[in-house]
Amino acid sequence: PKETIFKRTDKVHIVGRTEKEATITIFGNRIYQDDNGVFSYDLPLHMGRNQIAIKVVGANGKESILKKEFVLAE
């Protein structure tokens, strides 16, 4: 999502797209994408700052890490 500050919600639904041959991990867990390379993940939020790092390793072995921070405010 483009927003980074949330109120009255318990999770953020993250959707991304990558090569369908790529390997995606979030918090050490393998995330699987569909045939079009689309993946999704629900990040549980707790009050304050919530950080996520999405690691993608392409079929060629190149590694990319996307870091985002979301804030749950009162």
Side-chain angles (χ1 to χ4, degrees):
K2 294 182 183 193
E3 302 86 22
T4 57
I5 299 176
F6 296 89
K7 294 182 179 183
R8 295 184 290 277
T9 188
D10 60 349
K11 65 182 174 180
V12 175
H13 187 67
I14 298 170
V15 178
R17 180 180 291 193
T18 187
E19 302 167 340
K20 61 182 179 178
E21 298 85 14
T23 302
I24 305 159
T25 53
I26 299 175
F27 298 120
N29 296 315
R30 173 78 160 91
I31 307 298
Y32 294 93
Q33 63 271 48
D34 66 16
D35 290 337
N36 296 317
V38 177
F39 66 92
S40 65
Y41 181 81
D42 287 329
L43 174 67
L45 294 179
H46 61 271
M47 195 57 64
R49 298 175 183 267
N50 298 266
Q51 297 180 348
I52 186 171
I54 302 169
K55 179 179 172 183
V56 178
V57 178
N60 62 0
K62 183 179 176 188
E63 179 179 299
S64 298
I65 298 176
L66 172 66
K67 295 182 179 182
K68 295 283 286 186
E69 181 176 88
F70 300 100
V71 177
L72 180 58
E74 290 186 34

